[in-house]
Amino acid sequence: MARFSILPISLWDVPRNEIIKAETPEIYAENRPYTIPGFVVLVQDKELGNVLFDTGIAVDWKETWPPQFFETYKFHEFARLTDRLAELDLAPEDMDMVVCSHLHYDHGGNVKLFAGTKAGKEILISSGEAHEAIVNSVIAADGVSGAYYRPEIVVDGVGYELLHENRWISEDIFLFIQKGHTPGVIGMLVKTEKSGNFIFTSDGIYSPTNFGPPVVLPGLCADPENYAGNVEYVADLAKEYDAQIIFGHDVDDFERRRKSPEFYE
């Protein structure tokens, strides 16, 4: 069976309008700050080896971010991915596979750390995400398309493999595509022997508030028509596999989880 560890990366403020579709014009105009956590997941799988789910915010964000990101986001806590991996006696070159749920700055920011490595040659993203992220950031004059930033995801020495449909990539790891937040956020189901089964929604479902019932749309939603259907799919998947759902950006949910260097075995 697989085991996994949750590696905390960041705690920061984003505009509430990104997380929850504003209920009134007044709330939209206020656009208050909303604190969210960010993390990556290291899965150690008997078939695949070290699988990293997401890469977190760039280790050098202070030196490389575009001005609009500094204006929009405010950090309370930040840890470098390389430092978190080192706590487990690992480094980027020790990864056998990298899966990016999607390529927004807080999930694909460290893609460049894997340039020239085994995992970096075929970072797994969804086919819908490839167009949304790479094409749109490339054609943008400043390299910024929403929460995508071209220099973080278009990197010499980094290649991508496209996930076109839901599939088991090993006996204990299932990847599924969620349409909503972007055209193709990858979610992950991991089966463990002692701790049970877990679903990582990433930004496919930010929080229990978005999950419902009732379903609450996020503010950043490229495909609102399919969002409720994705929530229903995740709920059915959790029931089928008796799995706990770990949401992408919920402070309370994140706080109650064990963190690295501990593992769910």
Side-chain angles (χ1 to χ4, degrees):
M1 304 290 281
R3 69 174 192 159
F4 69 85
S5 185
I6 297 172
L7 283 60
I9 297 296
S10 47
L11 187 71
W12 77 112
D13 288 344
V14 303
R16 182 184 185 274
N17 289 347
E18 292 186 1
I19 305 299
I20 300 171
K21 186 176 181 180
E23 298 89 340
T24 67
E26 291 76 18
I27 291 176
Y28 180 82
E30 181 184 357
N31 197 16
R32 69 192 72 160
Y34 191 98
T35 302
I36 62 173
F39 60 93
V40 307
V41 184
L42 174 71
V43 185
Q44 295 189 320
D45 182 75
K46 62 184 179 183
E47 297 176 47
L48 300 175
N50 291 318
V51 179
L52 191 68
F53 184 72
D54 281 341
T55 70
I57 291 170
V59 295
D60 57 353
W61 66 273
K62 291 181 180 180
E63 293 76 40
T64 60
W65 265 12
Q68 53 265 57
F69 282 14
F70 286 101
E71 296 167 2
T72 305
Y73 308 115
K74 177 184 177 182
F75 282 94
H76 302 290
E77 298 176 12
F78 176 75
R80 294 160 55 95
L81 175 62
T82 46
D83 293 338
R84 288 299 191 210
L85 289 174
E87 291 172 356
L88 298 173
D89 295 321
L90 293 169
E93 53 267 29
D94 295 316
M95 297 302 106
D96 296 291
M97 176 182 288
V98 172
V99 179
C100 275
S101 64
H102 61 304
L103 292 171
H104 282 168
Y105 70 92
D106 53 326
H107 296 267
N110 284 308
V111 158
K112 58 191 171 186
L113 296 179
F114 300 92
T117 68
K118 174 185 176 181
K121 294 177 181 178
E122 294 182 323
I123 293 177
L124 192 59
I125 61 173
S126 77
S127 52
E129 184 68 11
H131 185 279
E132 185 77 2
I134 297 173
V135 172
N136 287 346
S137 65
V138 166
I139 66 176
D142 61 357
V144 179
S145 175
Y148 300 112
Y149 186 38
R150 183 202 308 147
E152 292 185 344
I153 59 179
V154 180
V155 180
D156 287 344
V158 168
Y160 294 98
E161 177 186 353
L162 302 185
L163 182 71
H164 299 284
E165 60 185 3
N166 302 348
R167 65 182 172 95
W168 291 92
I169 60 172
S170 76
E171 184 178 342
D172 298 317
I173 303 176
F174 177 67
L175 301 181
F176 56 95
I177 298 171
Q178 306 169 93
K179 295 181 179 180
H181 177 65
T182 81
V185 175
I186 295 176
M188 178 175 67
L189 168 69
V190 180
K191 297 165 66 177
T192 72
E193 183 174 5
K194 298 177 183 178
S195 300
N197 303 328
F198 294 82
I199 291 172
F200 294 91
T201 63
S202 183
D203 290 11
I205 307 172
Y206 283 137
S207 73
T209 298
N210 300 108
F211 188 66
V215 172
V216 175
L217 283 175
L220 286 180
C221 193
D223 190 350
E225 292 184 1
N226 281 308
Y227 188 85
N230 174 64
V231 170
E232 182 178 358
Y233 176 82
V234 171
D236 289 344
L237 192 67
K239 183 176 180 180
E240 179 180 357
Y241 288 96
D242 189 23
Q244 295 185 45
I245 299 174
I246 299 180
F247 295 98
H249 285 306
D250 186 75
V251 170
D252 292 336
D253 183 60
F254 181 71
E255 285 300 318
R256 67 188 183 89
R257 306 295 179 179
R258 300 200 304 268
K259 317 294 193 305
S260 175
E262 295 185 70
F263 276 82
Y264 287 83
E265 307 263 359

